[in-house]
Amino acid sequence: MPLLTDDALNELDQFLTSDLVSDETLMVDALDGYLTAIAIGPITLMPSQWIPGIWGPEPDDAPAFESKENAQRIMGLIIQLFNGIIETLEKDPDSLAPVFGENRFRGDPHVYPDAEPWALGFMQGLGLCRSAWQPLFDDPDGQVWLRPLQLLGSLDLSDEEESLVLFPDQREELSKQIPGSIAVIYRYWLPFRQAVFERELATTVQRTAPKVGRNDPCPCGSGKKFKKCCGAGSVLH
């Protein structure tokens, strides 16, 4: 569950449906899917890479915040929602509850989950680094995990694929598969994300470590000059 309270989530929803944003802005359910794709993906994206996509594809889609305080409040809610997704995934991926809407049809008392906007948002988030996701698309298991997300979240479906999402009960069954797909995709990418993090950390350490001169004392503590010790290249410790 997101760290946001229901009231805070409703506040964010009201802003995203207000006249202060463009018609291209993601609604709260699509935003939840968008952020989830960014959270579980193979690489870390900077906020500057994904925040503009919330509002729309064009610079003119940026929201007309009422004030600096209003901007800070809304951005704070978005970050809270994002952090809540990450925290839930780290603690228990199987407990993630996507923010789906609801559909009702005349003459049918059943309330159907409306996961299409969420899936559309997810596929948009995935599209920010589509090439990095390619190994999952190439993996037979990955294709199965992605299938409900693609069927509900893609605008370009074949006739055969369209036949799989024609009826409410079909879409409901696909919606039920999404939480499980998200959990297993998160676990699929986890070792890769950890390897990338460790590599970036090592690179940062190498960049920030002071350079040792050849005539300086060797940092290994031997008391010898660096060029006569570790700097010789053939010394093993």
Side-chain angles (χ1 to χ4, degrees), residues 194-209:
Q194 290 174 335
V196 170
F197 173 76
E198 290 170 1
R199 185 166 64 247
E200 291 176 345
L201 181 62
T203 301
T204 301
V205 170
Q206 289 171 3
R207 284 201 308 265
T208 57

Side-chain angles (χ1 to χ4, degrees), residues 100-148:
F100 292 163
E102 293 181 347
N103 272 332
R104 299 171 185 267
F105 299 94
R106 182 176 298 178
D108 186 346
H110 187 71
V111 179
Y112 295 90
D114 182 13
E116 290 180 67
W118 194 97
L120 280 165
F122 182 92
M123 295 305 295
Q124 181 177 329
L126 182 157
L128 294 176
C129 54
R130 173 63 174 74
S131 60
W133 283 74
Q134 191 59 44
L136 191 65
F137 283 92
D138 294 337
D139 187 310
D141 289 331
Q143 294 168 16
V144 174
W145 305 332
L146 287 166
R147 189 161 179 75

Side-chain angles (χ1 to χ4, degrees), residues 15 18-25 51-65:
F15 178 82
S18 72
D19 294 335
L20 299 174
V21 300
S22 79
D23 293 338
E24 302 298 323
T25 294
I51 287 176
I54 295 172
W55 314 120
E58 303 297 334
D60 290 344
D61 292 322
F65 291 112

